[in-house]
Amino acid sequence: MQKLTLIDTHTGGEPTRVLFDMTLPKEIVTVSQRRDWLREQADWIRCSILHEPRGSESMVGAMVGPPANARNQLSVVFFNNTGYLGMCGHGLLGVIEAMRYREGWTTGSYVVETVAGDVRVVLHDDRTASFENVRSDCYRTGVSVEITNGESTRETVTGDIAYGGNWFFLTPVEQVNFAELESLTCRSLRIRDALQREGITGRDGAQIDHIELYAPLDDSASAERGGRNFVLCPGGHYDRSPCGTGTSAKLACLAAEGTLAPGEAWIQESVVGSRFVGTYQRDGDGVRATITGRAHVMAETVCIFDPEDPYRFGIAHCTATSES
């Protein structure tokens, strides 16, 4: 029986499954080539470890491998239940904690190659980690779409479009509470559908596949600057973490507004209450965001693929294969 070895982590409540020891063809060198090989030749890996019955919609996968540049330390391909990601902030923190646990990475600086670009990571003595993300920017502000609430009530929603390693539409709401998950999810889905219906995209036609609803921190008396967010991910589930690429997109918007200074700390709190701390430095018209958070190792998992199991590659994958 074929087996795959995983390290299961979570970052602020959002799980990452880190895949080690994959043998790829020798001609596959760059992280983009690894992504393409997985997508075109071995998508069963993504489906089998993230789809039911072995996985769940909230999981992100990360395949680690050697870097193309010998001066760097690692390459990572991120993927979720619907496809492949250029970058994933909570997933990167999960990978770093898995490397600390499995490979003995110690306090210091590392460079990780992602499809979106090289990302510098610093491991701290307190087991938190910081990463300087790829360049983020606020692409458009004051973008409006019309959504339908119920059968006849229509509402205009206005927000900003920003890039933080993935594309986001960010718009305010009165509050972000865990008890309101269903309504927050429905609102986000309606916004995403409206963006697609009206042909509103990121730069060069990039699909806006993340919706970020934001509200003030609950503790209005606190001196900390920050906010709470609800992030709808491409697969239709919500991010349990504050979302690393979403926090980067938020910092890019704050920088464009002139409401947060370079180097000033911003607390980003998720809908479940977990937190990242973000700062930024200017990078041309955009920013370089640095995000600090902590991941935890939960399990060492060996996936077993029983050839007699009709759903060994995931229910969605096997169903689609049988129907085709």
Side-chain angles (χ1 to χ4, degrees):
M1 295 185 184
Q2 187 174 10
K3 299 180 180 180
L4 290 177
T5 301
L6 309 170
I7 299 292
D8 282 334
T9 70
H10 82 84
T11 310
E14 183 79 353
T16 305
R17 312 201 87 168
V18 187
L19 174 61
F20 293 89
D21 302 329
M22 281 299 300
T23 301
L24 277 64
K26 292 182 179 180
E27 64 271 17
I28 305 299
V29 176
T30 68
V31 67
S32 294
Q33 289 173 336
R34 292 191 180 95
R35 186 271 318 274
D36 293 345
W37 179 84
L38 277 171
R39 184 170 56 195
E40 297 165 10
Q41 304 295 326
D43 195 51
W44 65 268
I45 294 173
R46 178 186 66 84
C47 294
S48 65
I49 68 175
L50 298 186
H51 287 175
E52 296 179 4
R54 187 179 286 109
S56 73
E57 65 176 10
S58 63
M59 287 181 168
V60 164
M63 186 185 78
V64 302
N69 186 334
R71 292 176 296 179
N72 298 337
Q73 284 70 50
L74 194 70
S75 69
V76 184
V77 177
F78 293 107
F79 43 90
N80 63 11
N81 62 329
T82 64
Y84 294 83
L85 302 170
M87 175 46 192
C88 178
H90 97 266
L92 181 61
L93 292 172
V95 167
I96 297 308
E97 185 60 24
M99 294 300 292
R100 187 201 304 269
Y101 172 82
R102 186 178 190 267
E103 303 296 331
W105 278 22
T106 57
T107 301
S109 179
Y110 303 84
V111 177
V112 179
E113 298 170 1
T114 76
V115 172
D118 291 355
V119 179
R120 184 171 300 279
V121 179
V122 177
L123 275 69
H124 306 294
D125 290 334
D126 62 358
R127 295 183 63 188
T128 62
S130 302
F131 66 88
E132 183 186 272
N133 200 2
V134 297
R135 185 180 180 278
S136 304
D137 70 292
C138 185
Y139 174 56
R140 294 179 61 189
T141 62
V143 178
S144 295
V145 294
E146 191 173 69
I147 65 172
T148 301
N149 294 318
E151 294 184 358
S152 58
T153 304
R154 306 186 76 82
E155 177 188 356
T156 299
V157 175
T158 301
D160 300 332
I161 298 172
Y163 179 78
N166 296 300
W167 281 98
F168 289 80
F169 182 87
L170 303 93
T171 187
V173 291
E174 289 187 6
Q175 57 185 0
V176 172
N177 290 331
F178 187 74
E180 303 296 329
L181 281 178
E182 183 176 354
S183 63
L184 291 168
T185 300
C186 289
R187 183 175 184 82
S188 299
L189 287 169
R190 289 174 180 141
I191 292 171
R192 192 172 70 184
D193 289 345
L195 291 169
Q196 294 176 357
R197 183 177 62 249
E198 299 182 23
I200 297 173
T201 68
R203 188 177 291 107
D204 298 326
Q207 182 182 6
I208 302 170
D209 53 7
H210 290 72
I211 306 300
E212 184 168 344
L213 310 181
Y214 62 87
L217 286 174
D218 286 345
D219 186 1
S220 59
S222 172
E224 296 176 321
R225 300 206 58 194
R228 286 175 61 87
N229 70 7
F230 172 92
V231 175
L232 182 78
C233 298
H237 70 281
Y238 72 95
D239 197 330
R240 279 72 171 167
S241 84
C243 187
T245 56
T247 302
S248 299
K250 177 64 177 178
L251 292 173
C253 292
L254 292 169
E257 295 169 1
T259 55
L260 187 74
E264 185 177 0
W266 177 267
I267 306 298
Q268 192 72 53
E269 186 172 280
S270 76
V271 69
V272 306
S274 54
R275 288 185 167 192
F276 289 160
V277 179
T279 62
Y280 76 88
Q281 297 298 325
R282 298 281 185 185
D283 185 355
D285 293 334
V287 303
R288 288 277 178 173
T290 297
I291 310 298
T292 300
R294 181 175 176 183
H296 300 265
V297 171
M298 298 187 292
E300 296 183 71
T301 302
V302 178
C303 297
I304 297 172
F305 297 86
D306 183 348
E308 297 182 3
D309 178 2
Y311 301 114
R312 63 191 181 277
F313 299 132
I315 289 175
H317 180 272
C318 293
T319 302
T321 301
S322 63
E323 289 178 351
S324 62

